[in-house]
Amino acid sequence: MKKSKSKKKKSAEPVKRRTSKKGSSASGNADASLRKELAYLLKGGGAHVHFMDAVESFPEGKRGTYAPGLPHTGWQLLEHARIAQWDILEFSRNPNHASPEFPEGYWPKTPAPQADEEWNDSLFKFRRDLRDMVRLVENPRTDLHAAIPHGDGQTILREALVLADHNSYHLAQLVDLRRALGSWPEE
């Protein structure tokens, strides 16, 4: 998630797709298929549970609880995933975005949310930013392969894959934590 600290001012326009008069239906189908698969990957499911399944029913009294042998609480994992996702999204679409300091800016200061509203706000923002990243990827005007102008070689495709990978990693940690706390619905 390390971003370029370039001071150059660029337009706030998303990376646009280059168009060609010689477009083929095969490449158009491949592009549409890639966008569909990226959206599916970002939304989760398939080979694992959805991210929201692990956090929406997280017991309120256990959100700030450490489990033996595990380094993070539910609050820390949710808020970290939210902050990192927001950073990746904003880097992908906003040339004026400044990433938080790494690593301290990517983690909450406390092991538990200060109030239930803080947990709910984090859930709302996580959902909103994920939806916005999916929309960016699904937009046929977004060139998935072009270097992001204000980056140092990153593409929207790369950022979408990094986000899916990052969310999947922390989803597994959330499920492990809930199992260790006895709050995962085993079937």
Side-chain angles (χ1 to χ4, degrees):
M1 283 168 281
K2 183 79 175 139
K3 312 303 184 280
S4 172
K5 301 275 185 189
S6 173
K7 299 289 182 195
K8 292 180 184 176
K9 291 284 184 180
K10 302 275 183 169
S11 74
E13 291 291 313
V15 178
K16 298 293 183 197
R17 206 158 181 235
R18 289 180 230 124
T19 57
S20 167
K21 293 181 181 182
K22 293 183 177 182
S24 74
S25 62
S27 65
N29 289 342
D31 185 69
S33 179
L34 177 60
R35 290 173 193 285
K36 181 180 174 184
E37 292 300 325
L38 282 172
Y40 180 75
L41 184 65
L42 286 165
K43 292 175 186 176
H48 52 77
V49 299
H50 291 269
F51 195 91
M52 297 313 292
D53 292 338
V55 292
E56 284 183 326
S57 61
F58 206 107
E60 186 177 346
K62 295 185 177 187
R63 293 172 181 167
T65 303
Y66 290 96
L70 297 178
H72 304 293
T73 68
W75 168 244
Q76 290 170 327
L77 292 169
L78 168 61
E79 187 62 359
H80 169 69
R82 181 199 67 77
I83 293 166
Q85 178 173 261
W86 164 81
D87 182 46
I88 291 168
L89 171 65
E90 288 306 312
F91 170 73
S92 297
R93 69 182 182 181
N94 180 358
N96 298 315
H97 173 67
S99 293
E101 289 296 316
F102 186 83
E104 61 276 357
Y106 288 85
W107 291 93
K109 306 272 186 259
T110 61
Q114 300 304 302
D116 197 38
E117 293 77 31
E118 193 173 17
W119 178 270
N120 292 334
D121 185 55
S122 187
L123 285 176
F124 172 81
K125 290 176 179 175
F126 183 90
R127 273 191 221 100
R128 178 199 63 205
D129 292 344
L130 180 58
R131 181 194 66 226
D132 287 354
M133 188 64 169
V134 168
R135 285 179 178 164
L136 181 65
V137 164
E138 289 177 329
N139 184 345
R141 292 180 43 185
T142 301
D143 188 334
L144 298 174
H145 304 282
I148 297 171
H150 53 276
D152 55 4
Q154 301 94 331
T155 65
I156 299 296
L157 175 60
R158 176 194 179 272
E159 295 303 301
L161 292 172
V162 167
L163 177 57
D165 184 52
H166 188 262
N167 283 352
S168 180
Y169 178 84
H170 291 299
L171 168 62
Q173 287 186 303
L174 281 160
V175 171
D176 281 347
L177 175 63
R178 289 195 57 191
R179 282 188 172 131
L181 295 173
S183 66
W184 184 252
E186 300 290 347
E187 297 183 88

